[in-house]
Amino acid sequence: MKRVVIKVGSHVLTEGSEIALERMRALVDLIAELIHQDKEVILVSSGAVAAGYTQLELDKTKIANKQALASIGQPYLLKLYQTKFAHHGILTAQVLLSADDFDSRRRTVYAYQAVERLLSSGVVPIVNENDVVATEELLFGDNDRLSAHVAWYFEADILVILSDIDGYYNKDPHKYSDAIVRKVVHNIEDDALNSECTPHGDFATGGIVTKLQAGDFLLRRGSQMFLASGFNLSDVKSFLLDKIHKGGTLFKRKED
Ligand code: ADP
C-alpha cells in the first residue's frame, strides 16, 4: 500500500467545544510515521465548523452561520495542522473540493495533477469540502463520500476512515450493548445503504450510513476501505504500519 487517504471525523477532532489537540497530535504523528515509511498520505479532515465555533459562537443550526463558521474554522484548523506537521519537517497544503470537481473529467485531471505534485514533493494535502461557497446540490454534505471520491480519483490504494466508532457493527453499538463488530465486509446490503443517517455528536454529519456508502463506492470499483477508531489509533497503526489486522473493519471485495 503506497498511497493512503485518511479521513478523520469531526467528533474525533473535538472535545466539548474545543479542538482535541492531543488526538490531532497523535494523528499527525501517525501520518508522519507513514511518510517516513515512504507512503503518500492525503488527509481529509472534517472539523472546520467545530473549529470555527471555538472562535465565535454562532448558532450552527442556520446554514449561513455554518458557512461562516466553516470559513473561520478552516484556516484555523489548517494552522493547527501546519504547526504540528512542521515538528516533523513536513509541509501541508490546503485542497478544497466540491462534488462537481469529480463531475467533469477536465476538472478532475487538474485536481489530480496538483495533488500528484504535492505528494511527489512529500507534502500532505489536507482536503475538505468547499462548503463555504458551494450550493447545496454541489455538496456531498459529509466528508465520508468526498473521501471515497478522493481515494478513487486520486488513485489511492485504500481509504481509512477514523471515526468515533472502532468498526462496523451488526447494529448501532451506542444503542445495543450486544452489538458485534464485523472484521471484514465484502458487500453492503441495499437496506443498510439506504437507512436513516445516525450521526453521533453535535458536529457529526453522516453517521454510519455515509461511511457504508463510501465503502460501497470503493467496493464496487474493486478498491478497499478500513474503518477504525480515531480516539485510539492502535488498530489503524497495526493495520497500516505492521500490516496486522487486529481491530477495525476492512471493506474489501472477496477474492475470486
Ligand atoms: P464521525 O463524526 O466520525 O464521522 P458519526 O457520528 O457521523 O462519526 O458516525 C459514527 C456513528 O454511527 C457511531 O458513533 C454510531 O453511533 C453510529 N452507528 C449507527 N449504526 C452503526 C453500526 N452498525 N456500526 C457502527 N456505528 C453505527
Side-chain angles (χ1 to χ4, degrees), residues 7 140-148 159 161 188 192-199 204-217 225 227:
K7 183 259 168 179
F140 285 105
D142 63 87
N143 274 339
D144 297 320
R145 281 172 303 158
L146 172 74
S147 60
L159 165 65
I161 293 194
I188 303 163
L193 289 171
N194 298 319
S195 53
E196 223 184 302
C197 286
T198 50
T205 45
I208 197 68
V209 176
T210 51
K211 289 167 189 56
L212 296 179
Q213 290 166 347
D216 184 61
F217 178 89
M225 181 176 103
L227 171 64

Side-chain angles (χ1 to χ4, degrees), residues 7 9-12 144 162-165 167-174 198-201 204-208 211:
K7 183 259 168 179
S10 52
H11 206 192
V12 173
D144 297 320
L162 299 179
S163 178
D164 65 345
I165 198 77
Y168 174 42
Y169 287 73
N170 61 342
K171 47 191 171 181
D172 188 346
H174 283 125
T198 50
H200 184 243
T205 45
I208 197 68
K211 289 167 189 56

Side-chain angles (χ1 to χ4, degrees), residues 40-240:
E40 297 171 335
V41 183
I42 301 172
L43 174 63
V44 178
S45 180
S46 301
V49 175
Y53 195 74
T54 66
Q55 305 298 300
L56 185 67
E57 289 188 13
L58 296 177
D59 171 6
K60 48 189 185 292
T61 57
K62 299 196 171 72
I63 288 187
N65 287 356
K66 258 180 120 164
Q67 289 175 308
L69 288 172
S71 65
I72 296 165
Q74 180 64 20
Y76 180 65
L77 197 64
L78 263 284
K79 197 174 90 189
L80 294 173
Y81 276 123
Q82 199 176 31
T83 314
K84 292 190 165 40
F85 275 108
H87 291 308
H88 297 277
I90 296 171
L91 265 182
T92 52
Q94 170 175 262
V95 179
L96 294 175
L97 297 170
S98 50
D100 59 338
D101 289 313
F102 299 103
D103 279 353
S104 129
R105 216 185 107 66
R106 195 169 63 96
R107 289 181 71 156
T108 310
V109 168
Y110 277 128
Y112 175 83
Q113 284 170 346
V115 168
E116 256 325 293
R117 185 54 52 87
L118 290 167
L119 292 173
S120 63
S121 311
V123 178
V124 177
I126 303 182
V127 177
N128 194 8
E129 183 149 50
N130 193 5
D131 50 6
V132 178
V133 289
T135 52
E136 213 167 326
E137 60 273 21
L138 292 179
L139 285 175
F140 285 105
D142 63 87
N143 274 339
D144 297 320
R145 281 172 303 158
L146 172 74
S147 60
H149 280 68
V150 168
W152 176 248
Y153 288 104
F154 298 163
E155 297 178 352
D157 300 298
I158 192 163
L159 165 65
V160 173
I161 293 194
L162 299 179
S163 178
D164 65 345
I165 198 77
D166 58 357
Y168 174 42
Y169 287 73
N170 61 342
K171 47 191 171 181
D172 188 346
H174 283 125
K175 287 197 196 135
Y176 303 92
S177 56
D178 60 342
I180 297 165
V181 73
R182 293 172 162 144
K183 198 162 182 194
V184 183
V185 169
H186 296 301
N187 78 300
I188 303 163
E189 305 288 321
D190 281 352
D191 279 2
L193 289 171
N194 298 319
S195 53
E196 223 184 302
C197 286
T198 50
H200 184 243
D202 257 12
F203 294 101
T205 45
I208 197 68
V209 176
T210 51
K211 289 167 189 56
L212 296 179
Q213 290 166 347
D216 184 61
F217 178 89
L218 292 171
L219 280 177
R220 282 174 192 281
R221 288 163 176 79
S223 191
Q224 45 184 334
M225 181 176 103
F226 184 64
L227 171 64
S229 168
F231 288 111
N232 177 343
L233 299 181
S234 61
D235 288 339
V236 68
K237 268 190 190 157
S238 338
F239 187 77
L240 290 178

